[in-house]
Every structure is written in C-alpha cells, then in structure tokens.
Amino acid sequence: MKVLMFTWEFPPFISGGLGMACYGMVQSLLKIGIKVDLVLPTRDLVYFPLSIPEDVDNLPAVFIEPKKHKEYSSISFGSVKERLDYIGITKHPESYIQLGEIKKFFRLSKSYESSEQVHWTDSDKLLDEALINLTGEEDLIRKVQEYTLRAQKVASTLKYDIVHAHDWLCYPAGMIARKVSGKPLVVHIHATEFDRSGGPGDERIHNIEYAGMMFADRVIAVSQYTAQMIMSRYIIDSGNIRIVHNAFSVKEDMNDTKQRIFKGPTILFLGRITLQKGPDYFLEVAEKVLFKYPHARFIVAGTGDMGRMLLHRSAQLRLKNRFLFTGFLNRKQVERILLAADVYVMPSVSEPFGIAPLEAMAYGVTSIISKQSGVAEVVNNVFKIDFWDTDRMAETIGYLIENPELCKKMGHDSKEEVNHILWDAAADKIRDVYIHVLEDFLATNKA
Amino acid sequence: MLNIVFYFQVHQPYRLRHFNVLDVGRNSGYFDDASNRSIMQKVAAKCYLPTNQLLLELIKKHKGSFKIAYSITGTAIEQFKQYSPEVLDSFKQLVDTGCVELIGETYYHSLSFLYDTNEFLEQVYMHRALIKKEFGYDTTTFRNTELIYQDTLSDVIYEIEGFKTIITEGVDRVLDWRSPLYAYKNYSKSLNLLLKYYQLSDDIAFRFSNRDWPEFPLTVPKFVRWIDHLTLSENQNRNQFLNLFMDYETFGEHQWAETGIFDFIKHLPAEVLKRDNLGFITPCETSEYANYQQEGISFKEAVSWADAERDLSAWLENDMQKNAIETLYDLLEKAKQKGDAEIISQLRLLTTSDHFYYMCTKYFQDGDVHKYFSPYDSPDQAYIYFINVMADIEERLL
C-alpha cells in the first residue's frame, strides 16, 4: 500500500507538535510496510518517496521536473542538512517561500475550471468552497495557495492508493489530489481553528476545515476531545470519524540524565507563545508561586505572537530574573532545557492532543497538564488541572517544591508510562482506517 | 566677552553578547569581546585618532587660546588599553598641552546615583583615581552620566573634596526666562553650575549633515556669526559662557568625515579668535571669569541631555528597564555582602547606562537614535540577554 501524504511540518522542518507527530507516525507506518510519498512546503517542487523506516531521517527526494532532478542527482552533498538546504526545507516553517516567488492564485482556479466537468456534484461544491476561501494576501495564505497549486501536479504524476492530508493547510491539496486521482482521502485533525484562535478565529479557515472534513472519505481525530469538537462545531457525521491518539517515539540514544542549569526549582513552559497554549496563565501561576517560593525559576521556551506581551508583563510584575525567555530553540536545545527542568506545565486553553507533555514525561519531568487537552485522555502519572485554575496549579507546584522526592518519583513514573505510548500502536490503527476506507471505496465504485 | 566652553563625552560600554538561558552556568563570558573590539577599533580609526590629532594641532597652533574639556569614562579607558592603546596615548598628549581639562564622573558611566549612593561615591572615586593614574590629573569639575542632574546630586558632589563645578543640560523648563549663557550656582549656592546651550550644541552634533535642515550646510562663518549675535543681547558687561557639550563620537562617527565635520572644526578656532569679544576656556576656569553674583538654580526633578524629553526616560521609563535595573542593584548588594570581588566588578560593568538605553521603547525620532546605537535587534532582545546574565550571576552567588 502506498500513501500520498501532505503535511506542513516534518523534521528537521518543524515548529510544533505536528511535525513530531508526522515523524513518529510515518516511521511506524513504514515499519509495517506502508510506503509514503511525502509532500512538504519545500522551496523547490519535490516529493520524498519513503519506503523504509530509516528514510524518515534521510528524506530521499525527487524533483518533479526531470531536468532539475538530473541536476540534483549529480550533486554529492556532504550531509543530509546540506542536501535539505539545497531543496530548501531546513529553515523554520513559514519562512522558506519568498513572497516574490509566488505566482498569482487565479491560475489554480482557472486550471480547475478548464478541467473536464460534466456536472456540478456536491463534492465539487465542497472543493470550490475550499478554494474560494483560500484567498487573501497574507503570507501564509499565499504559501498555502502555492502548495495547493503544486498538489495538482504531484497528484497527477505519482501513483498511490490513498491520500492523507494533515490539518487545514493541507486540506485543499488533499482535496485536489482526490479530485485528480480518484483515490480516497483521509484528513487528519491535529487542531482546528477553534483550538488555535481561542475565539471565533478566521472564517476562511473554518470554511476550509469544514469543506475538507466533509469532502474526505474518513476523518482521523487525535483525541476524543477533538472528535467531540468536530462533531459539535463542524457537525461532522460521527460515523466518519476515527480516533487515533498520538504517541511518542522514544529515541534509543536518548540522554535522560538530569543536567540542572539552576540550583532552585525550575518550572518550564515549552511551546508556541500563543493564546491557545495559555502562556498568560503560566505567568499568573509564576507570580503566585514566586510570591511564596522566591527561589523558583520559570522558563518560557518558544516563540509566538504573545511573546512581547508576556515579556513586558513579566517585567511589570517585577519578577526580577525569575521569569526567563529562551527564544526559539532547536531540537538539541529543547532536550537541554527539558533536562534542566523539574516541572513542566502545559496550561493550554484548548489542546486537541498536545504531544509536548509526552516528551517532557520521556525526560522524567513531572508534568502539569490542562484538562482541556487530548493527551489527558491517555496519561495517568501527571497532574490534570483546568487551565484557568491558576490557584490550583500554583498550589500543586508549591507542593512539588516542598516535596522534591515525590516530584522525582512522579517524573520517574511518568517516564515509565510514556515508554508504553507507542507510535506502532497508532500506526496499526491508521492502517485499519486505510483498509476500511479502501474497502468502502472499492465497494462504492463497483456499485 | 563670550567664552566658548567645549566639552566632549568620550564613552564606550562593554556590550553584552547574545546570552541565552542555556548559557547559564557554562562560564562562557558575558561580553561580546569581538564586537567590543571591532567597534572600538572602528571608532578609533574614524573618530578618536583623527580628531585627537586635529585638536592637538589646533591647540599648538593657537598657543593657549584654544581649550577643550573631556570626560573619559573608565570603561572607555579600559577598552582603549585592551583594543587600541594608541588612542589613550593621544589623549595623554592632549592633556600634556595644559589646554585640556578632564572632568570627573562615575567610572562605569552608570545610573548609580539614582539607586545606590554608596556605589555612586565608590564609582566617582574609582574614576578620579583612574584619571590621576593615567593622566596625573586631579579632576575638579563633575558631570554625571549623560548630564543627569538634580539638586540632591549637588549635595553629594559637594561632600566630595575637590569638586567645584558641575555641568548639566540647559533645560528650558528649568531655565524658564533665564539664559544658559551665564554661570550659575547649584540650589544651595555651594558649587559652580554650567548649562549646556543645546541649540548650538545640537546644530553640530545632530543637524550638521541633515540636508532637510533649513540652515544646511553649516559653515564656520555662519556658525561664528550666530555666536557673535549672542553677545549683542543686553549683558551689562557680564562675561558669558557658551557651553557646547556633545558626544566626542560626533566627529567622524555620528557625522562622517565626508560631511566635512573635520574641516568645520579645523577652521572654527581661528574664525572665533579673529574677534576680540570671543574666546575659549575650560569649565573649571568659568568661576574666575564670572564677574557677577551667580544666581542659584534649583533642579527639583532629574534632567539629562537625552532625547527630546531631556529627562530619565531614555533609561528608566518602561517596565523592562526598571525590572532590569532593580534586579542589578539587588544583586550588587548581595555580591558586596558576600565580598565576591570578581562578581562585583562584572556587575559594575553592567551598571553602565547604555544597557538600559538599549531597552528603551520610545517611538518617534528618538527611537531611531536608540536603534542606531543598539547592538541588538530590539529592546526586548537587549532586556532578555541582560536578565539572563542577571540569572547567571545570581546562580554564582548562591
């Protein structure tokens, strides 16, 4: 079986949990013999034909244009990074396509119109809906336009059995691929606009999400929490939804010996500094804890549009040098900050899954996670607290500061636990989804 | 008679490197040695060396009638020694002419007066000792960092033996109807007080190369004519002092050589000295020339020469600046209690006011000036690196 997979993130090209999830998922799919042609928002028009588990690290690439591929094949690269630089994917997401390189979007609509259409079906209307909403001058929207344009080309060039698209950025691409190839489409919900915005959000994105989910042959949700959300907010038929929880791939060479940076208790926030992730609640908790335990230190690791506000507010609260910001961290630096932390806090307002706590657990860091998250459905050795209940969180941290042995034990137990939350199990479930979708699809097409 | 009092501020801070949270505890140094070196060498080549050479020639040529004054900070002198020793030698040559006054201040160009009087006094004594050691010179005029001044400062300076004169900004809201052209006294009439004539100072320091300025280009005859006009106002034969105070880096660095700034300075003294009613003296000489009862002026609030506001807002306005400086002085106190000399000296390098200037978030045209002088991408970055260093130092004190 071969899957054409569209995703916006994949290591080393990553900004959040999506890339980590795709990495673990694809690796385990490859282990059970499912091949994956991966399409990323690369600078050059390439795809990554992955066939063995090691390919997730090597990322073999093929340029769609034969001439370009010949040129690329003739170069011998010193390292994987050098090779990926050539293709243009090692940069931080959303920064690799130059605005000037993007052609006008009308090309897509035009070519779509000119394709042979006898009658205007329901699914055509949904595709039209997705494309109509994919308009705007924002950098990100234009990148998605470009990505969608390319999907058409990729989808008609390659051979595959099923199309799998992750999150709204890739839904239009997945829909186009289904239209072009006639192969069934699975869309995978890692987050909805409701989660990301923490409010009403962007109407266009809602429409694209709705169209994508309605158009798809099957919808995978990363948690019960998310399934509930898409049933109630997008009115998606529960019969079409399957829940596959994310997992965590523990690396064999993982160094998990504590390496303290600070002598006092170190409490960590790790993730994008956006409304969805609740960084403002983290600050509130820090203020409360530091009032009683001034020797504690709070670290905010990550970047995001609320970073400035958080920085200024922490200064205004005069948290001295007790509330620190790391800025953007690469993978190695993330490991180092986790090894230095005693307590990890994920105060997300709405977290469809939340893979970061699993990573913190894998490093033996005691975790406090928002009840409003999917990951809370699969872990036990953590504290689960409502994101808004900062008193409760502060009390819990205070308790852990006063009982360091207990904190250590909790961290140790959570490490044990996360070792059993494996991508292999998730991949088996995804394979089952593929098989059922293909069966249904064949049955319908026969009839 | 109107005497021009030229005073130049010579200062270089030790800039911090991009110090991340993950650098804490790694003993990897706080300062960006490479950038401090290259900036010092660049400014030495563009400003210090050519300007010192030019002024030395002018002093020799005019045989005692052309005089100037400098305040040279401790952090600048340290960096001359580290990165560009010939600059220090050329300043020594200038001082040896006898036509140059050296002015006292805090060694670290700090805001310590506002936070810790004892630390302030220590830094003033350190600077005085340094100037004595390097130049064999006893300072008698004081100027606080960036001309920051208020009444209480004069009380503290009066207690220090040897200081007779203080210089500060001629701020309109304090001067009101009075002219900055006269020598005043501080509010308790214990010290001689000189006020910067900011219009003509800034004509050279900021507007010299500004093509949008209606007076562009500024020529020597035009500038001296303006000065001459100042003497026409009713002065009852009282001697006047035109205090032209500015950053020394104006010459060749803020105003590049291509703007003609060196030619301007080169021809200015001769043009001034052509006239019998104009001359040059140094700040410490003003009190003997003041042939009248000097009026006391009270500065209840702090003033400075920075930005359009001429107050403390360049360094101490937003919460980042306040949180950073409060953290710093807390730690300095702790380090002193512990008696850790190495940490004390590192913290003192962080008391330099520039660190807080980089965190300034004021908009409009001043924001541009701050940006020009900042080694960081944004005030937020400057704050983050500073606070991370504060965390590292605190860990070392634990």
Side-chain angles (χ1 to χ4, degrees), chain B residues 353-370:
Chain B
S353 59
D354 303 59
H355 297 298
F356 310 101
Y357 191 81
Y358 303 145
M359 299 174 199
C360 177
T361 47
K362 281 192 285 182
Y363 303 111
F364 310 118
Q365 57 209 94
D366 290 335
D368 298 339
V369 178
H370 287 256

Side-chain angles (χ1 to χ4, degrees), chain A residues 263 297 320-322 336, chain B residues 22 330 390 394-395:
Chain A
K263 297 185 180 86
R297 226 175 279 269
K320 296 278 169 71
N321 50 1
R322 296 278 156 195
R336 279 178 50 205
Chain B
L22 292 170
D330 275 3
M390 290 293 111
E394 185 174 43
E395 290 292 319

Side-chain angles (χ1 to χ4, degrees), chain A residues 242-253:
Chain A
R242 297 289 177 274
I243 294 168
V244 180
H245 285 107
N246 283 339
F248 185 72
S249 14
V250 182
K251 277 188 242 128
E252 280 143 33
D253 59 344

Side-chain angles (χ1 to χ4, degrees), chain A residues 136-148:
Chain A
E137 288 304 306
E138 298 96 325
D139 216 16
L140 183 63
I141 290 277
R142 296 177 71 138
K143 282 172 194 164
V144 177
Q145 291 170 358
E146 170 71 15
Y147 186 74
T148 308

Side-chain angles (χ1 to χ4, degrees), chain A residues 15-16 268-274 277 279 300-304 327 334 344-345 356:
Chain A
S15 82
L268 176 69
F269 173 98
L270 174 65
R272 279 176 294 115
I273 310 175
T274 57
K277 304 291 179 184
V300 174
T303 57
V334 166
Y344 164 86
V345 186

Side-chain angles (χ1 to χ4, degrees), chain B residues 149-183:
Chain B
Y149 179 80
Q150 64 193 84
D151 289 344
T152 48
L153 176 77
S154 69
D155 292 338
V156 175
I157 294 303
Y158 178 65
E159 294 295 320
I160 304 174
E161 213 186 307
F163 285 126
K164 307 256 185 298
T165 299
I166 295 189
I167 64 181
T168 186
E169 174 73 23
V171 182
D172 290 332
R173 60 180 181 272
V174 178
L175 276 172
D176 201 359
W177 52 272
R178 288 168 289 212
S179 160
L181 289 172
Y182 296 100

Side-chain angles (χ1 to χ4, degrees), chain A residues 4 6 112 122-132 134 147-148 151-152 155 160 163-187 207-217:
Chain A
L4 176 62
F6 294 98
Y112 169 59
D122 281 354
S123 73
D124 289 332
K125 278 182 201 154
L126 287 169
L127 181 54
D128 195 49
E129 171 94 6
L131 297 181
I132 283 170
L134 192 55
Y147 186 74
T148 308
Q152 203 172 4
Y160 44 90
V163 183
H164 190 156
H166 296 277
D167 272 0
W168 78 269
L169 296 157
C170 299
Y171 292 170
M175 294 166 83
I176 291 268
R178 187 193 194 282
K179 176 83 190 162
V180 169
S181 66
K183 304 289 182 187
L185 169 68
V186 175
V187 298
N207 289 337
I208 292 169
E209 287 179 335
Y210 175 75
M213 286 187 248
M214 291 298 286
F215 188 89
D217 298 86

